[in-house]
Amino acid sequence: MLEQRQREMRVRNVLGGRVVREHYLREAVPCHSALCTRCTRAGKVLGADLTHFLTPDCTVALHYLEVLELPQLNGLLFTHTAYQHVQHKSRRLYQRLRRLLNSPRSDCVLFANEFQLGAYVDRRPSETHAAWQTRSVYHAAVWYHKHLSKRIPVVMVTVDPAVVEKYGSATEGVYVVPFQVYLESFWPDVPEASEFLGSLHQALITKEVESCRGRKREFAEHLPVDVLEAGIRAGRYIKGTVSMNKHKAHVEAFVQQHRLLSKDTGAWKEFLGWLNHGVWFSSDATLDDVLVLGMKNRNRAIHGDAVAVELLARTEWQGRSLTLGDVGRYDCPQEESHGEPMPTGRVVGILQRNWRDYVAILPPPEEGPTQGRQAQRLLAVPWDFRIPKIRIATTQAAMLQDVRIVVRIDSWDSTSQYPNGHFVRALGKAGDIETEVAAILIERGISVLPFSEAQLREMPTDSPTSPWAVDPKEVAQRRDLRLSHLIFSIDPQGCEDVDDALSIVQCDGLDSTIEMGVHIADVTKFVPPGGPTDLEARSRATTYYFADRRFDMLPSVLSSNLCSLRSGEDRYAFSVLWRLDKETYEVKDVWFGRTVIRSTYKLSYETAQAVLDGGHIEFATEIPELCGTEDEQQVRLGELRDVLNILTDVARAWLCRRTANGGLQLEGSEVRVEFGGVPGTVSGITPKKALEVHETVAECMIGANTWVAQRLFKSLLGCTLLRRHPPPRPELFGPLCNAGESQGFHIDISSNKALSDSLEKTKDHREPLVSHILRILATHAMSNALYCSSASVPQHELTHYGLALPMYTHFTSPIRRYSDILVHRQLLAVLAAENGDFEDSEVMPSGTYLEEICQHLNERTRAAQKAQKDSVDLFQCLFFRDVNPRMEESSTDHRVADALVFAIRANGVLVYMPRFALRGAIFLKDKEGRVASLMADGTCDFRHGCLIHKKHEIVSQPSDGLPFVLRLFDHVTVHISAEQHRAHADTLHVHLLRLEGLNQQGAHPQDTPSRPRDHMVREVQRRAMVDVEQGRSSTVGPPACPLGRESYRQSTGGLYEFLEEFEEIALMEIGKKPLACVIVKEADQPTSQSMESE
Ligand SMILES: [Zn+2]
């Protein structure tokens, strides 16, 4: 039954006329309640176990939406009336509301009351729109209550006393109450809800007061969006994302042009044409940044916003700062040294706000106004240096002293020097580990609430009373490798989420081959597409590894149990089995498919290496699976060693072929944070040790990933999820080439092969750290690897530069990466289609949808990397702040270390401290303009004088004292200390102690992690030569970076993941490419179209 009513909609359109919209009413509009037996169930439903439903009126839905977002409030019923009200009033809040409704976690639904025959009410002739809206919401609540046979009360909340009076008790079972009263009486144990309501209320009042007051304009007005868009099309304005120089956030910002996309090339072409005509070109400049100097020119743009800029006249162009910046420290402007003039502009309008939640702290009392009962207006200082202070009104200023809080920005008017915002919630006392970890999560936009009931309900059970076991029916459909294959896993010590295992079988027969297997946890078996677990995993996109904890992508019953390939237990797997030539290890054949396996050994990298090297092994603790008599043990150990030897051999052969094609061997500098007995203290920071077996396992995973990528691409072409690594931008190699040159090495960057060969030669240097540091600099120049849909990028750009593979994807870690789950589903669909079974292929995302998911995965992956780095930094600072008792006993201050100079700047040098794999800056000029000077006892102090900075060295020339020279790769002794900041994360400071290095006692063997690899790479090169001589071609595909993503899997270690870190260190940023990768558009964060006035 369908009833049509015409509803007149007054819409101001171009013609100025009235538009009549047809409005259809139906009976079959679902109520989305689990209690209902009549309606169709589509999408989310409100659980049957709720005590009441909560429905906000239009004002509450608009102004207090953020309170409704609190995860504790459940059973939310948004009426279509309220939904539309939000949509009309604020684009930013509308997007928030949609996100809330779409979120798999939140317990809220949208009820299309205006289309439901029984729930809809017509507007009365004399009725105001607002009155009708309220009546419409109320009527919907009443209908809902009756529709569910009055089994559950419905509470409508409002902030209008008149509404309470009118409807308050008009219907039994439907309650209309003030929002404040509701929160206090229904949620007494969630006091933050009422506080939050108060904070939002304050912000609203403030805004009203301000809008009545005429005030002086601080900034130019923004141009309207249509003017901006026309200007961009015409090439008058340039569109880009604003990013602040973290070290000079008050002064220097850059607008990075949106990357060249085939669809949107107007402004870019304009810009390129302009470059090519020689108007501006400098070999040292980055081609697509526009410099924006000062707050006026920045015109209220906030880090991350998409803006339109207008270039200034060429005579007004300036250079970017080349001075070492230090967060929180202000250098004397006259001391600044600047690069060549570059395009300089001013922001004329905002295309899209990219505001998010900001961690901040209130100013100390003496800086703020006097305490009182009334709301105070305070300038909250954000944790992120790049974000301006945010003005908030709060009545709790005294209570919030030294507490980290979350604030949101509401608006930034041209009459206001600072943005206006509101207090959201308190995180805890600044400096507490839990507070700091919470701050990192918020700053990186990571949401890791406990898994919901619905998600856990979807999981299989495994308990002592009902243990999980493989299903014989399922086993019948899989290849059973439990008895036929010796399977083992190699992971970091204590690893719980084992998602890959390996096998080697020697097939004796006529053709004499080896079968090598990579077995990956079959996660998709347990995660139905579109279910609550799947949606949650997609939203998280990855497991987040912190220095002291991790936040899993999947519930632990999967990640550390049923999908973890533990030894001695039957597990479902997805396997890749290669048949290899016994001599050459060339791939003759490959098989992909679902299997059931039982791993025999769960080895740590260290144990596996010890088995290979014939080292001493504590059987009981290291390989408990090896039980039995001593003879049996030896026999089985021999068998294991044989298998590991073959595996190593195969990996070497594969690596050799890829290296022959130009694979890069890059360096990250990953550290392990060691925790002492005392909670919250750090006992040590050590660089992770590289073993050959790391590379062997990485090699096998790289092999599986690339074979899967090629297999998928062959069948799916357009919608394969791939991981590509674009070639680096040549202009970023400056620091590397310069550092190489200083040691007599020419670094050829023309291709990955040339670069790889150049870097290889640097190993001959008498100082092994030179090669190590050059590799770090090479890594620094790399772009980020990215997920993409094969349809969105031309095929020649799908390659992986670092691994030098024509095609790559992520298949091997589905427990901790959502990309791998999607790739598993793609491969399953391809295999099913081959067997004539098309059922599975329906669930695959493709086209724009796949591209959107890829972007989301890229953003989350980057957030995970940054958060991990933040957390390591946090503990590093703790380490250098706390005096470590163990170190004190040995009478050596653990904060004194050897360091190597690896870059020269105008006012100092950048150094690398191998013992901690740490980089830092040494300022040779202090705040007063004095320069470092050498004292008679060999120590350093600051004196008046000057610095002379050259390409490979810097000379300090004090007016009264000895001059000294620091050259690239000179050793010095430094003192590392942690400086505490009230508003921001603590930072490390490096001070020059002596000009000579700390004697080599401080240097550990693992200071040069490339050493175990040297032997291997030489072997690989030898084989490559043999291959070339014999005219053999590579079957595994192009080369890899041997220390790939997979090697330090427990802590997301791989090289490409480090790139972000290098970009972030920012000390490197100054001369070259600042902030290139810091532009992260957080999809999960609130955004708003430039609706300044909302
Ligand atoms: Zn229903």
Side-chain angles (χ1 to χ4, degrees), residues 31 36 39 147:
C31 66
C36 178
C39 297
H147 175 73

Side-chain angles (χ1 to χ4, degrees), residues 294-313:
M295 297 300 283
K296 289 276 182 241
N297 285 331
R298 195 181 297 171
N299 197 0
R300 294 171 280 151
I302 292 174
H303 181 80
D305 287 347
V307 299
V309 282
E310 184 178 47
L311 289 176
L312 302 177

Side-chain angles (χ1 to χ4, degrees), residues 43-44 78 83 94-110 455 530-532 535-536 538-539:
K44 287 200 294 185
F78 280 94
Y83 179 80
Y94 173 62
Q95 284 174 344
R96 278 200 95 95
L97 176 56
R98 287 194 43 170
R99 258 199 309 276
L100 177 69
L101 288 165
N102 291 332
S103 156
R105 309 200 56 92
S106 70
D107 200 8
C108 72
V109 298
L110 177 64
Q455 285 155 358
L535 295 177
E536 179 67 26
R538 178 185 301 172
S539 152

Side-chain angles (χ1 to χ4, degrees), residues 513-534:
T513 55
I514 291 172
E515 188 209 69
M516 185 167 98
V518 165
H519 312 275
I520 307 300
D522 192 358
V523 172
T524 59
K525 166 82 187 106
F526 301 99
V527 181
T533 312
D534 185 49

